[in-house]
């Protein structure tokens, strides 16, 4: 059991899990939606958001059922020691590749601003800063998230709404052409939520007040869903279907369409770079901590010494990111590996875990010091 670890506030929990996903395909998801769903692309985006709501509900029920156990501990309890460790281990290679691909995509998006800087140098710098964030622990990451994510959310929302107002096109198909294509597109967009599994790692670190805590992940996916829709409409209304289909990084391209005169233009450009960089480093730090903590739980049955894993995990991420040869390889990895992995890790394993736990009536009770009135317990 893990006594006296409930030190994240509800706002910090919401912002922390909100900062743990989106970067994988955020820069390229409009193209993926159109490639897979064609004229049903907007419906596939909406279906993916609805799937994320179901996913968040399942993850919430798991954390509420095992409020004092880490992800590896309740998995061992549900499946048995060895099978539980196997399911937990399945997350490690996927998330190492996941974080490395996210860094590659982010660097590709900002590389035009640093044309003379080698890609590997940018990768090393980002991983070094993120490693420091992972080293100091989840409590500090929660505090940083409560600052960085709201700023990112506000900036991104404002920018894309502004871009939408600059468009001369205000028409989208309003009928579903093909339900199979819509579902196919939604499943290919689902990797955008792959980092949401991080929520299962922070169960012992916050107050599980049933009247309040169940809304944390749902609020997160509602907010992210709104941002995804706004970004998608901004791209489609400015570039059209065929223009989006031909551009790999449609969102960075659309950002260049901003037309503001005078004093504000330089400040807005700086804001985009600073906010996106801060968010990407925070995202990476969260997942380095998560991968390190999970590895420590699997191999040592404790997460107390996760710091021993931080540097190897970060070094592995740099190596994987540097081995990616080109953007086409990214699309191939996403389509062939990340899409099925997101279905398994976000939907199948959590749903199966919850179902077996309910059938076997497995549940852990909060300790006596647990506060159900909504106040944050002290460490």
């Amino acid at each position: 059991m893990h006594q006296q670890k409930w030190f994240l506030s509800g706002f910090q929990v919401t912002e922390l899990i909100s900062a743990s996903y989106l970067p994988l395909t955020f820069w390229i998801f409009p193209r993926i939606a159109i490639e897979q769903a064609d004229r049903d692309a907007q419906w596939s985006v909406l279906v993916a958001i609805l799937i994320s709501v179901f996913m968040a509900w399942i993850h919430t029920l798991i954390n509420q059922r095992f409020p004092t156990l880490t992800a590896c501990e309740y998995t061992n309890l549900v499946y048995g020691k060895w099978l539980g460790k196997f399911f937990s281990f399945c997350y490690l290679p996927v998330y190492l590749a996941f974080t490395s691909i996210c860094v590659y995509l982010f660097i590709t998006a900002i590389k035009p601003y640093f044309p003379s800087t080698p890609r590997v140098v940018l990768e090393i710098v980002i991983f070094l800063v993120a490693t420091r964030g992972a080293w100091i622990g989840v409590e500090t990451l929660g505090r940083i998230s409560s600052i960085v994510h709201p700023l990112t959310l506000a900036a991104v929302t404002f920018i894309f709404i502004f871009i939408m107002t600059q468009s001369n096109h205000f028409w989208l198909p309003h009928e579903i052409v093909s339900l199979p294509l819509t579902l196919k597109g939604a499943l290919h967009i689902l990797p955008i939520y792959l980092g949401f599994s991080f929520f299962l790692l922070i169960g012992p670190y916050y107050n599980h007040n049933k009247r309040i805590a169940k809304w944390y992940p749902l609020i997160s996916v509602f907010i992210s869903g709104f941002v995804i829709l706004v970004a998608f409409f901004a791209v489609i209304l400015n570039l059209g279907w065929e223009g989006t289909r031909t551009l790999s990084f449609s969102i960075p391209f659309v950002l260049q369409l901003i037309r503001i005169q005078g004093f504000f233009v330089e400040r807005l450009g700086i804001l985009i770079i600073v906010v996106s960089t801060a968010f990407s480093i925070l995202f990476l730090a969260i997942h380095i901590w998560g991968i390190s903590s999970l590895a420590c739980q699997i191999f040592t049955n404790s997460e107390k010494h996760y710091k021993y894993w931080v540097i190897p995990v970060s070094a592995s991420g740099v190596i994987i990111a540097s081995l990616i040869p080109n953007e086409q390889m990214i699309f191939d990895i996403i389509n062939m590996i990340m899409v099925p992995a997101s279905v398994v890790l976000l939907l199948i394993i959590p749903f199966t875990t919850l179902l077996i736990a309910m059938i076997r009536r497995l549940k852990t009770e909060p300790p006596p010091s647990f506060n159900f009135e909504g106040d944050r317990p002290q460490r």
Side-chain angles (χ1 to χ4, degrees):
M1 296 296 178
H2 302 267
Q3 302 292 333
Q4 301 299 326
K5 278 191 175 179
W6 300 271
F7 51 81
L8 293 174
S9 69
F11 181 72
Q12 289 174 342
V13 171
T14 303
E15 300 306 314
L16 190 62
I17 59 176
S18 296
S20 68
Y21 57 95
L22 287 191
L24 178 60
T25 56
F26 182 75
W27 302 103
I28 57 178
F29 84 92
R31 171 184 167 176
I32 293 175
I34 292 177
E35 283 185 340
Q36 302 299 327
D38 198 39
R39 296 293 174 176
D40 289 318
Q42 75 277 14
W43 300 115
S44 66
V45 173
L46 182 59
V47 170
I49 294 171
L50 295 177
I51 293 175
S52 75
V53 175
F54 174 75
M55 168 199 73
W57 180 63
I58 294 297
H59 284 59
T60 300
L61 293 181
I62 292 176
N63 268 5
Q64 296 285 50
R65 199 168 189 88
F66 304 105
T68 59
L69 299 184
T70 63
C72 192
E73 286 176 333
Y74 73 70
T75 305
N76 292 348
L77 178 64
V78 172
Y79 295 104
K81 180 179 179 181
W82 296 110
L83 187 57
K85 284 184 179 292
F86 171 76
F87 281 134
S88 298
F89 181 82
C90 290
Y91 285 79
L92 293 182
V94 173
Y95 279 88
L96 274 173
F98 167 72
T99 53
S100 300
I101 292 173
C102 290
V103 171
Y104 183 94
L105 290 173
F106 171 68
I107 290 177
T108 301
I110 67 170
K111 191 67 170 65
Y113 298 101
F114 307 96
S116 300
T117 305
R119 174 182 291 274
V120 68
V121 173
L122 295 175
E123 291 170 352
I124 291 174
V125 170
I126 290 176
F127 269 99
L128 282 176
V129 179
T131 298
R132 174 56 182 165
W135 186 274
I136 57 183
V138 70
E139 181 180 12
T140 303
L141 289 175
R143 294 173 180 173
I144 296 173
S145 299
S146 64
I147 299 173
V148 172
H149 185 263
L151 290 176
T152 304
L153 178 67
V156 169
T157 303
F158 168 77
I159 289 168
F160 282 108
I161 289 178
F162 181 85
I163 292 174
M164 287 176 62
T165 64
Q166 304 302 298
S167 171
N168 294 323
H169 308 284
F170 292 97
W171 179 85
L172 289 171
H174 59 280
E175 295 180 353
I176 297 178
V177 178
S178 171
L179 286 175
L181 282 180
T182 299
L183 181 59
K184 180 184 177 183
L187 293 179
H188 278 76
I189 298 171
L190 193 59
I192 204 169
Y193 288 100
L194 195 56
F196 194 89
S197 291
F198 172 81
F199 179 59
L200 296 177
L201 287 171
I202 60 173
Y205 293 89
Y206 69 93
N207 187 352
H208 291 254
N209 186 306
K210 292 184 178 180
R211 295 171 299 174
I212 302 174
K214 64 183 179 181
W215 290 103
Y216 299 159
L218 293 174
I219 291 172
S220 174
V221 295
F222 286 146
I223 294 174
S224 69
F226 174 76
V227 173
I228 290 171
L229 285 175
V230 169
F232 179 78
F233 290 148
V235 170
I236 294 299
L237 293 176
N238 280 276
L239 301 181
W241 248 251
E242 295 306 318
T244 304
R245 192 194 302 271
T246 57
L247 288 172
S248 297
F249 289 78
S250 52
I251 287 182
F253 183 85
V254 167
L255 289 175
Q256 299 177 22
L257 300 178
I258 297 175
R259 294 291 182 269
I260 303 178
Q261 302 298 322
F263 175 80
F264 195 53
V265 63
E266 293 85 2
R267 276 66 185 173
L268 184 59
I270 294 173
L271 177 65
I272 295 172
I273 297 173
V274 171
V275 167
S276 60
T277 301
F279 178 82
S280 298
I281 291 175
L282 172 63
F283 164 86
L284 184 58
I286 288 171
H287 285 286
I288 292 175
W289 178 89
I291 296 170
S292 302
S293 178
L294 183 60
C296 196
Q297 293 171 33
I298 293 172
F299 297 108
T300 68
N301 297 320
S302 171
E303 83 281 17
K304 294 181 180 179
H305 304 294
Y306 74 90
K307 291 183 179 180
Y308 295 131
W309 294 86
V310 168
I311 294 179
V313 167
S314 183
S316 300
V318 173
I319 293 172
I320 295 173
S322 63
L323 291 177
I324 298 174
N326 51 53
E327 297 170 15
Q328 185 57 47
M329 179 64 72
I330 295 293
F331 284 97
D332 292 340
I333 293 174
I334 290 174
N335 290 329
M336 293 187 295
I337 298 177
M338 292 303 170
V339 171
S342 63
V343 174
V344 173
L345 300 182
L346 292 176
L347 297 175
I348 295 178
I349 290 181
F351 181 76
T352 304
T353 301
L354 178 63
L355 184 62
I356 294 176
M358 294 174 66
I359 293 174
R360 297 180 59 190
R361 298 183 179 180
L362 297 175
K363 188 177 182 180
T364 58
E365 297 296 332
S369 60
F370 207 82
N371 186 335
F372 281 99
E373 300 301 323
D375 297 329
R376 184 175 62 173
Q378 300 299 317
R379 294 183 66 182

